[in-house]
Amino acid sequence: MTALTLLAASALSVGGLALATAPAGTADTLPYTVQTLHFAVTAGAEGPCDIVGDLYTPTAATSASRVPAILTTNGFGGSKDDQAGLGRYFASHGYVVLSYSGLGFGGSGCKITLDDPDLDGAAASDLVGYLGGDAGVAYLDAGHTQSAPALDVVQLDARDHAGVRRSDDPRVGMIGGSYGGQIQFATAAVDARLDTIVPMITWNDLSYSLGPNNTDQLPSQTSGVSSRTSGAAKLFWAAGFSGEGVADGMQGAQGDPNRLYGCPNFADWVCPGLAFAGSAGYVDDSTVAHLRHASVATYLPQVRIPTLLAQGEFDTLFNLNEAVATYRALKAQGTPVKMIWHSWGHSHGTPAPGELSLTDPDPSTQYETARVVAWFDRYLKGADVSTGAEFAYFRDWVPYTGNAAPAYAEAKAFPVGTDRTWYLGSSDLATSPPLAAGSQSFVTPAAGAPTSINPLDAVGGFLPAPLPEQDAPGSFAAWNTATLAQPVNVVGSPRLNLKVDAPVASVGQAGGPAGMLVLFVRLQDVAPDGTVTDIRQLTAPVRIPDVTRPFTVRMPAIAHQFAAGHQIRLVVAGGSVNYRGGQVANAVTITGGGGQTLTLPTVG
């Protein structure tokens, strides 16, 4: 299997989950019907566009006995078929479900616009209107010549969430992952008829996702992931998604040849943005503006409906910090919100046993499925049920059988635990300031070249034997704790307070990002036999605006146990195989002592 094939496979579904299989039974015995429809939707200058979707309707639903609805769509590169398991389950339990292929994917027309609220959000709003009974939206054919009957079986609300009286306001929620997660925020921002959302493994700020900078000098990021200075461009995720998007455009060009003009199957700004990032190693200001326009971080005050966030602990594309940023902002503005950290994500798409199945959901045996079902029952059916803990996280160090509930720790608030601080010495991490401080020096490579051997972030979790984690001699600095007498359980975002000496960068940084120092910070678990493992393959790139001043690195959050007998290792490297590093070679020296500290949020 080629790397590109693996990249596409990880993008094709929510966290790489298997596609749905055909239901058991016949049409005469199923408690629902399924009909494929085409929808004429607006999408800004792109519209009108054709969207294809499958409508799952409970046989018991009638105009006199209406039921709530669920709207769902695919992850990047997928289609309406990916959500068939959800459609079958919820249609069998009293919900109308409309699963559709997003713009540019799975038989739907127009280009990929990255869940832009003005385009993808507007298109989804038309589908909400169809669920509310609007006529002239649904058709039996892709040419929109045969009108489908208006839908009259979905429960209606008298007023939307802006207090406006509507005749086409369905009781409706949304669910989906990754690309199918962000569209929920985009829809909520433009349509006050949407009642609740369950976004899974999606982004807060796409400029961070594709070019993360985990420092913003002082003050560092505290509640968000956005940075004033672009970080280091991700290489393999960007290559995989652009290749997959173009391939979808080629498949759909016969029905919509305009998709191949300009930037093939993408909004026109995407291609030059990718080209610049690939050559310069960071995202230019114009592209950052476009990426943020398509990110909930920009329009989050417009999202006011109950939100259940689910994010992956094993995800190098949209790491846990993105969900934390969204959670904190929603919480601060009084929006009902809860958060789950599950075991799986884009980098390792198979949920742990008893967590979740999109092909065969079963709340009685799957912890996360039960949370989702209860959420919809509460906010769509008005059932008097618990929606679970404010915050829950999966612990892979807790053994269990069957339902994954025992492996989940639940808390009444986030964050959890207490901070523990280690001080950097010459090469050691100590829990009290070292008496004598030494220094370590290394050189970062020119032209953004990699200096490490690491699993490829987009596919490493899918390979049977991931590459070992190691850095080239002279290209990194590292600090180790003593052997741990007791386990250290880390739940949250590690923070590194650091000051470096880099004379070349101190001069070149005045010229902008190209002259700034770029470093890559990682935490590693060192086993008693010397085996070294990067925690969930996560890296914190930093592009430092001013190397003459201290800075704070807010690393991707983790839920990890450093077992007794192991060591915690901190690595600061000059290059990474998964990112484009700095353009200029830099001699870097890091001296221990003083305010050089690593802080880990720990729980018992």
Side-chain angles (χ1 to χ4, degrees):
M1 185 178 264
T2 67
L4 184 56
T5 303
L6 281 165
L7 284 163
S10 66
L12 276 173
S13 62
V14 179
L17 294 173
L19 299 182
T21 56
T26 66
D28 293 335
T29 61
L30 294 174
Y32 58 86
T33 61
V34 185
Q35 183 181 22
T36 298
L37 296 171
H38 290 263
F39 301 88
V41 300
T42 56
E46 291 290 315
C49 301
D50 175 59
I51 277 183
V52 61
D54 290 335
L55 181 69
Y56 298 77
T57 307
T59 54
T62 67
S63 58
S65 182
R66 294 174 177 254
V67 299
I70 293 172
L71 187 62
T72 183
T73 188
N74 52 275
F76 197 96
S79 76
K80 62 182 177 59
D81 299 333
D82 302 346
Q83 318 302 317
L86 290 176
R88 293 194 300 267
Y89 175 83
F90 282 108
S92 299
H93 291 79
Y95 293 90
V96 168
V97 180
L98 177 55
S99 174
Y100 72 97
S101 296
L103 297 176
F105 297 111
S108 291
C110 291
K111 288 187 173 185
I112 299 166
T113 54
L114 301 181
D115 283 337
D116 188 314
D118 299 332
L119 304 171
D120 300 272
S125 178
D126 286 342
L127 301 182
V128 171
Y130 165 73
L131 292 170
D134 284 353
V137 179
Y139 295 85
L140 302 178
D141 64 313
H144 303 159
T145 63
Q146 304 174 57
S147 294
L151 190 64
D152 63 354
V153 299
V154 175
Q155 183 178 347
L156 299 178
D157 292 325
R159 295 180 183 273
D160 65 20
H161 290 277
V164 177
R165 187 174 293 277
R166 302 286 297 259
S167 61
D168 62 346
D169 181 3
R171 181 71 57 83
V172 59
M174 289 187 76
I175 185 173
S178 192
Y179 199 78
Q182 190 70 196
I183 184 58
Q184 300 172 55
F185 293 124
T187 307
V190 301
D191 196 328
R193 294 173 295 178
L194 188 59
D195 295 293
T196 188
I197 54 177
V198 183
M200 308 173 88
I201 58 172
T202 195
W203 65 89
N204 172 268
D205 181 346
L206 199 52
S207 71
Y208 171 82
S209 311
L210 300 179
N213 189 7
N214 288 273
T215 187
D216 206 12
Q217 204 77 42
L218 292 175
S220 65
Q221 296 101 325
T222 55
S223 60
V225 294
S226 302
S227 173
R228 292 167 294 182
T229 304
S230 181
K234 290 181 181 177
L235 299 176
F236 296 101
W237 278 121
F241 282 124
S242 58
E244 178 60 37
V246 171
D248 276 307
M250 295 292 291
Q251 293 174 6
Q254 183 175 356
D256 188 0
N258 290 328
R259 290 164 66 175
L260 297 184
Y261 291 109
C263 184
N265 207 32
F266 284 96
D268 290 343
W269 59 266
V270 173
C271 287
L274 285 172
F276 181 89
S279 60
Y282 62 93
V283 183
D284 67 278
D285 290 344
S286 175
T287 303
V288 167
H290 283 294
L291 293 172
R292 287 185 177 162
H293 178 73
S295 300
V296 67
T298 299
Y299 54 81
L300 206 144
Q302 297 161 248
V303 180
R304 294 283 180 174
I305 55 176
T307 302
L308 177 61
L309 295 168
Q311 202 79 352
E313 295 175 2
F314 203 155
D315 201 322
T316 57
L317 178 61
F318 306 136
N319 64 46
L320 294 172
N321 288 14
E322 304 230 37
V324 170
T326 303
Y327 170 87
R328 283 177 161 157
L330 289 174
K331 196 76 176 174
Q333 69 184 28
T335 300
V337 59
K338 293 185 177 182
M339 182 168 61
I340 300 171
W341 291 359
H342 51 233
S343 70
W344 53 279
H346 287 85
S347 305
H348 186 72
T350 304
E355 267 194 303
L356 172 75
S357 171
L358 293 186
T359 59
D360 188 19
D362 182 357
S364 68
T365 62
Q366 300 159 10
Y367 174 84
E368 195 169 7
T369 301
R371 294 289 304 269
V372 171
V373 170
W375 191 265
F376 281 141
D377 284 352
R378 168 66 179 85
Y379 289 108
L380 296 180
K381 289 185 175 180
D384 184 15
V385 296
S386 170
T387 57
E390 176 81 7
F391 172 54
Y393 57 93
F394 183 84
R395 299 167 294 176
D396 64 358
W397 60 91
V398 175
Y400 68 94
T401 57
N403 194 305
Y408 274 87
E410 298 187 327
K412 296 180 179 179
F414 176 87
V416 294
T418 57
D419 286 346
R420 291 182 61 183
T421 296
W422 280 262
Y423 297 83
L424 278 63
S426 56
S427 61
D428 59 325
L429 288 171
T431 53
S432 58
L435 298 177
S439 63
Q440 298 186 56
S441 298
F442 59 92
V443 177
T444 70
T451 59
S452 63
I453 299 176
N454 308 103
L456 302 183
D457 56 8
V459 300
F462 296 90
L463 297 174
L467 295 171
E469 287 97 352
Q470 61 184 49
D471 296 89
S475 70
F476 71 100
W479 295 261
N480 282 34
T481 68
T483 299
L484 300 174
Q486 301 291 332
V488 175
N489 301 326
V490 180
V491 180
S493 180
R495 301 186 307 280
L496 175 64
N497 291 321
L498 201 61
K499 173 72 169 61
V500 304
D501 181 34
V504 172
S506 67
V507 176
Q509 65 194 17
M516 294 177 184
L517 177 65
V518 178
L519 299 174
F520 300 90
V521 182
R522 312 196 309 274
L523 275 186
Q524 296 181 324
D525 190 320
V526 184
D529 64 0
T531 301
V532 178
T533 305
D534 285 351
I535 310 303
R536 299 292 189 273
Q537 301 174 11
L538 293 167
T539 296
V542 293
R543 186 178 297 270
I544 306 161
D546 186 355
V547 295
T548 67
R549 298 192 293 122
F551 57 95
T552 298
V553 182
R554 187 168 293 273
M555 301 171 67
I558 57 175
H560 179 76
Q561 180 180 81
F562 294 92
H566 289 225
Q567 293 173 284
I568 301 170
R569 175 176 293 173
L570 169 68
V571 176
V572 179
S576 169
V577 71
N578 290 307
Y579 297 84
R580 183 72 189 273
Q583 295 184 8
V584 180
N586 278 277
V588 179
T589 298
I590 303 176
T591 302
Q596 313 278 59
T597 60
L598 172 67
T599 300
L600 303 180
T602 62
V603 299

